[in-house]
C-alpha cells in the first residue's frame, strides 16, 4: 500500500487537478459570455442592426473553430448564422455555407456584406 507521504501526495495531486478543471471551465464560460457580448456589439456597431433584431446569440466551445457564435434573427428564426472571431480582431461569418447561399441569396437576409464582396 501507500505510505503516509505517498497518500498525501496522491490526494494533493487530485485536488490540484480538480482546481485546474474548475478554473478551465470558469475561463471557458467567461470567454463564451464575452464573445456573445462582442458579437452583439459587432452586429449593432458595424452592421447597423438593432439589439431587438436578434432572437438569440449563443457562443459555443468546440474543436474547430475553438470558439464560434451562432446568431439567430427575429425575421429569420429558422436560419442560424455562424461567426468566428479571427485573431481577436475581425469577425468572419462562416455559416450558412456558400453552397446553401448559392442560388438562394434572396432566402438569406443577413449575409455579411464582407462575405458577399468575397464571392463576387
Amino acid at each position: 500500500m501507500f505510505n503516509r507521504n505517498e497518500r498525501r501526495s496522491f490526494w494533493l495531486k487530485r485536488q490540484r487537478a480538480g482546481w485546474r478543471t474548475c478554473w478551465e471551465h470558469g475561463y471557458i464560460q467567461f470567454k463564451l459570455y464575452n464573445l456573445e457580448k462582442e458579437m452583439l456589439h459587432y452586429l449593432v456597431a458595424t452592421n447597423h442592426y438593432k439589439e431587438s433584431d436578434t432572437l438569440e446569440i449563443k457562443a459555443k466551445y468546440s474543436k474547430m473553430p475553438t470558439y464560434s457564435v451562432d446568431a439567430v434573427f427575429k425575421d429569420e428564426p429558422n436560419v442560424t448564422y455562424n461567426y468566428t472571431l479571427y485573431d481577436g480582431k475581425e469577425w468572419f461569418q462562416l455559416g450558412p455555407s456558400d453552397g446553401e447561399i448559392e442560388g438562394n441569396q434572396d432566402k438569406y437576409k443577413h449575409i455579411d456584406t464582407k462575405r458577399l464582396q468575397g464571392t463576387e
Side-chain angles (χ1 to χ4, degrees):
M1 239 18 230
F2 295 115
N3 67 33
R4 184 172 190 218
N5 286 336
E6 289 172 329
R7 277 188 302 216
R8 183 171 184 218
S9 174
F10 172 77
W11 287 110
L12 283 173
K13 286 177 185 175
R14 285 195 60 173
Q15 187 177 20
R16 285 187 199 127
W19 280 107
R20 185 176 339 121
T21 303
C22 182
W23 181 87
E24 288 169 352
H25 176 74
Y27 172 78
I28 290 169
Q29 293 304 311
F30 178 74
K31 177 90 172 166
L32 295 175
Y33 172 79
N34 280 339
L35 283 171
E36 290 170 1
K37 297 301 172 200
E38 288 178 40
M39 176 86 264
L40 182 60
H41 179 265
Y42 168 76
L43 291 173
V44 171
T46 307
N47 291 359
H48 310 293
Y49 288 106
K50 296 178 191 147
E51 191 171 336
S52 61
D53 291 338
T54 60
L55 185 63
E56 179 182 36
I57 294 177
K58 184 73 178 160
K60 58 186 176 182
Y61 178 75
S62 61
K63 287 187 178 186
M64 191 65 181
T66 306
Y67 296 100
S68 64
V69 181
D70 290 340
V72 179
F73 295 91
K74 284 185 179 176
D75 61 347
E76 263 186 309
N78 297 325
V79 179
T80 301
Y81 293 89
N82 184 266
Y83 295 84
T84 190
L85 188 61
Y86 182 72
D87 279 343
K89 299 174 189 170
E90 189 173 3
W91 285 99
F92 285 101
Q93 187 181 58
L94 302 174
S97 70
D98 291 339
E100 291 175 295
I101 295 169
E102 194 173 298
N104 294 316
Q105 281 189 352
D106 296 338
K107 178 182 174 187
Y108 300 104
K109 302 175 186 174
H110 303 285
I111 302 299
D112 204 336
T113 55
K114 290 187 296 187
R115 187 170 177 184
L116 289 176
Q117 291 167 356
T119 60
E120 294 175 356

